[in-house]
């Protein structure tokens, strides 16, 4: 007889950052896909920004979100390739307390089925900082769908067994309106 207690769904506060020199919020299909997926899953959009690919601007925004008591997850799309302007991993890696090595490995494994050996050019990474999960995803809409559907949907759901990232995230207390 199993004595497992079913966990309840915990809505998380998730910030989405798109890093792009060419997109606008209106043409940002990758960021929009992440917003739609997290909302459909029952999570809350804490913030959404689009920045040019500038290491120090990216680092400043992500550091502020890591310090924000109301942001539990940061999803970044874009800037993970090999062009001279791609600097998201360099901007973020130094902010992490612990890197989640398996995230990039699993992302590339799943992507192999979709894009073949081109997946080796992905520098997707994730880590934890101040109770905040930070995930750096490629800028393509397909890559964001792969990351959400293949990894994040389960890992951001407290009901996923045997484990998820939810217990490692800072708690957020909701502010109730006084009656």
């Amino acid at each position: 007889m199993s004595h497992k207690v079913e966990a309840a769904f915990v809505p998380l506060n998730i910030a989405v950052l798109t890093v792009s020199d060419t997109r606008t919020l209106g043409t940002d299909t990758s960021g929009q896909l992440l917003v739609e997926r997290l909302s459909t899953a029952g999570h809350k959009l804490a913030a959404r920004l689009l920045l040019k690919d500038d290491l120090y601007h990216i680092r400043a925004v992500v550091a502020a979100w890591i310090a924000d008591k109301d942001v539990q997850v940061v999803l970044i799309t874009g800037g993970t390739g090999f062009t001279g302007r791609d600097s998201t991993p360099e901007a973020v890696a130094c902010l992490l307390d612990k890197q989640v090595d398996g995230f990039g490995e699993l992302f590339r494994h799943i992507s192999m089925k979709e894009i073949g050996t081109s997946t080796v050019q992905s520098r997707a990474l994730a880590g934890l900082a101040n109770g905040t999960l930070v995930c750096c995803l490629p800028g393509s809409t397909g890559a964001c769908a792969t990351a959400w559907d293949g990894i994040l949907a389960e890992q951001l759901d407290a009901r996923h067994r045997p484990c998820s990232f939810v217990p490692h995230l800072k708690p957020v207390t909701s502010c109730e309106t006084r009656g």
Side-chain angles (χ1 to χ4, degrees):
M1 180 184 294
S2 174
H3 294 350
K4 280 187 178 179
V5 176
E6 283 297 314
F9 178 77
V10 176
L12 301 174
N13 294 333
I14 302 175
V16 175
L17 172 62
T18 299
V19 175
S20 175
D21 290 337
T22 59
R23 296 181 188 178
T24 66
L25 283 177
T27 61
D28 175 23
T29 56
S30 299
Q32 188 57 38
L33 177 128
L34 292 171
V35 169
E36 290 168 3
R37 291 287 210 283
L38 72 89
S39 298
T40 299
H43 300 297
K44 300 171 191 163
L45 180 63
R48 182 175 181 198
L49 286 176
L50 188 142
L51 292 177
K52 298 287 185 201
D53 202 331
D54 177 277
L55 184 140
Y56 297 102
H57 287 135
I58 296 165
R59 187 174 291 160
V61 167
V62 175
W65 282 344
I66 289 168
D68 187 327
K69 64 179 179 49
D70 293 325
V71 175
Q72 296 168 290
V73 179
V74 175
L75 302 179
I76 307 166
T77 174
T80 61
F82 283 100
T83 70
R85 299 273 303 152
D86 290 326
S87 60
T88 300
E90 291 78 14
V92 171
C94 66
L95 300 173
L96 303 175
D97 299 329
K98 293 185 181 188
Q99 193 159 323
V100 181
D101 297 323
F103 181 86
E105 295 166 0
L106 181 57
F107 176 81
R108 286 180 284 279
H109 173 76
I110 296 168
S111 294
M112 177 73 175
K113 298 173 190 133
E114 299 168 5
I115 63 170
T117 60
S118 295
T119 193
V120 300
Q121 294 191 33
S122 168
R123 297 189 306 140
L125 69 91
L128 291 164
N130 190 36
T132 305
L133 176 67
V134 180
C135 301
C136 301
L137 313 172
S140 79
T141 307
C144 288
T146 297
W148 184 271
D149 299 342
I151 305 170
L152 295 170
E154 289 182 346
Q155 286 300 302
L156 298 179
D157 189 335
R159 301 169 297 186
H160 180 70
R161 295 290 174 244
C163 59
S164 73
F165 282 111
V166 177
H168 305 290
L169 304 178
K170 60 186 147 193
V172 173
T173 56
S174 61
C175 183
E176 301 287 328
T177 305
R178 294 183 189 162

